[in-house]
Amino acid sequence: MPAQYETVLRQAADKFKRTAEVARRDNIIPYKSENGKWVTSPFDGNSWWTGGFWPGLMWQFHALTGDDAFLEEARRVEALLCDEFRTYKYLNHDVGFMYLLSCGADYKLTGNEQAREDTLHAASLLMGRFNPVGFIRAWNHPDHRGYAIIDCMMNLALLFWASRETGDPRFEKVARIHADTTLREFLRPDGSVSHIIELDPDTGARVAEHPGQGYALGSSWSRGQAWGLYGFTLAWMNSEAPAYLGAARRIADYFIQNIRPDGLTDCDFRQPPEPKRIDNIAGAVAACGLIELARQTGTSAYEQAAYKLVDGLLTCCDFTDNCCGLLTRCTASYHDDGAGRETNITYGDYFLVEALMKLTGGDPMLWM
Ligand code: GLY
């Protein structure tokens, strides 16, 4: 394990302790850094799906340093996220991302009982999105009643957690039904995955594939590949169902073939050569999944690929005050939707730090 990783983590902790102070003063949830300032989420206020990554980052740094300034900042944002239970209308299947890394992390690391209740509340909201024809509904627009998306594989971690925590098998059963549908409908023969599949909300039959945050219909949005890779790895770790491990390996093999020589990740593996569009978040998520998959399977190729990705990401870190965060060249969507292109976005920082924590032996594993 390169000693450099430990140094980067310590420098990052110092930087985020400083810039967390700015977020606290403004009482915001940082989404990205722009012109040396934190900017909030582009849509849906504090219900935007990324709200848990900032407290997750704070919990990672708390695990690293033991400094209570990180705990206090995480809890400040947890309170804002819990207010969103009352607003409710913007919350969607991404309550997994939002509450497992915030309240779930708090409960895991401190035993905070209220945080446990809040995480269970989020799990129940996710259960409420289950359509018994076989999938969890992703989004709220009336036209999206049948939409399922690959990203949801990560949200399933909240359901597996809730079954373990309560002894009630309903949560895990729903997670497995959704994972089985994802396996059947999203995984392509070459190991790539679709982003959005529409199912008939009355029968569960496949209606169509839709283009999402990647280049085009039928292309290969790299962050979607990474969600599938890490999501199926977590589903295997939570269930020991061999089909999920097989899926994780197929997506991993496909992802590895597409890592660029410089260790960075194209926003879409089927994008045209120009314009070059990098999404380092995809590389950071995939690195986390590959590290866990290497540990599960003893496959050194997965570990080597994770090192290649992490070393690529470290060439894109900005420790100056021009940027409040760390990882640059993060892209929310291939076709710019206003959520950020080739810039610093906090969930890129979260997954880079999680990967570094795994490689240095300190990861508290907030997904389980
Ligand atoms: N919708 C989740 C993502 O942008 O990756």
Side-chain angles (χ1 to χ4, degrees), residues 145-158:
R145 286 173 305 151
Y147 276 37
I149 71 171
I150 190 68
D151 323 29
C152 192
M153 285 305 301
M154 296 298 290
N155 291 320
L156 300 186
L158 175 63

Side-chain angles (χ1 to χ4, degrees), residues 20-35:
E21 189 50 34
V22 179
R24 189 192 63 76
R25 245 187 357 246
D26 296 343
N27 200 22
I28 59 165
I29 307 178
Y31 170 74
K32 64 176 179 167
S33 172
E34 220 168 64
N35 304 319

Side-chain angles (χ1 to χ4, degrees), residues 91-353:
L91 293 176
N92 59 32
H93 72 144
D94 287 325
V95 291
F97 284 115
M98 290 173 71
Y99 295 94
L100 197 52
L101 295 181
S102 55
C103 305
D106 190 342
Y107 172 59
K108 179 166 192 174
L109 298 182
T110 73
N112 178 346
E113 277 299 322
Q114 183 58 52
R116 175 181 183 273
E117 299 307 314
D118 294 332
T119 316
L120 286 173
H121 186 160
S124 294
L125 290 180
L126 188 52
M127 288 289 281
R129 306 188 68 83
F130 179 61
N131 183 327
V133 298
F135 69 97
I136 293 172
R137 175 176 171 168
W139 297 321
N140 299 344
H141 190 280
D143 293 344
H144 293 167
R145 286 173 305 151
Y147 276 37
I149 71 171
I150 190 68
D151 323 29
C152 192
M153 285 305 301
M154 296 298 290
N155 291 320
L156 300 186
L158 175 63
L159 299 182
F160 285 113
W161 172 86
S163 265
R164 264 197 314 280
E165 195 57 37
T166 61
D168 183 337
R170 288 176 305 142
F171 301 94
E172 174 171 352
K173 286 197 188 305
V174 164
R176 290 183 65 151
I177 291 169
H178 184 87
D180 290 345
T181 299
T182 307
L183 193 55
R184 190 182 69 237
E185 300 293 345
F186 286 70
L187 190 59
R188 301 170 178 152
D190 64 358
S192 68
V193 291
S194 308
H195 182 194
I196 304 173
I197 298 291
E198 182 178 359
L199 303 160
D200 183 321
D202 288 316
T203 66
R206 184 185 180 104
V207 174
E209 175 172 352
H210 294 286
Q213 286 159 261
Y215 171 60
L217 182 63
S219 71
S220 178
W221 176 47
S222 60
R223 197 160 69 250
Q225 314 309 300
W227 293 142
L229 193 176
Y230 199 6
F232 273 111
T233 302
L234 291 172
W236 153 256
M237 292 165 72
N238 275 307
S239 68
E240 299 192 357
Y244 303 155
L245 181 62
R249 293 189 78 125
R250 282 175 59 196
I251 303 168
D253 294 343
Y254 169 80
F255 197 101
I256 289 169
Q257 285 165 24
N258 285 284
I259 299 174
R260 294 161 46 106
D262 58 8
L264 307 191
T265 306
D266 287 326
C267 182
D268 192 308
F269 291 145
R270 295 175 193 159
Q271 70 191 23
E274 294 296 336
K276 281 193 183 44
R277 196 151 289 160
I278 299 296
D279 178 27
N280 276 328
I281 311 167
V285 174
C288 291
L290 286 165
I291 296 164
E292 293 297 339
L293 196 55
R295 290 176 182 167
Q296 291 294 314
T297 61
T299 308
S300 64
Y302 295 150
E303 190 179 23
Q304 292 317 314
Y307 278 118
K308 180 164 183 156
L309 286 168
V310 168
D311 290 342
L313 296 171
L314 294 186
T315 66
C316 295
C317 286
D318 184 344
F319 286 96
T320 73
D321 289 339
N322 296 331
C323 175
C324 298
L326 189 62
L327 183 62
T328 63
R329 307 197 70 184
C330 300
T331 299
S333 290
Y334 182 89
H335 299 286
D336 192 11
D337 63 355
R341 178 186 283 174
E342 296 250 359
T343 186
N344 168 256
I345 306 182
T346 43
Y347 55 108
D349 288 332
Y350 174 80
F351 283 102
L352 172 59
V353 167

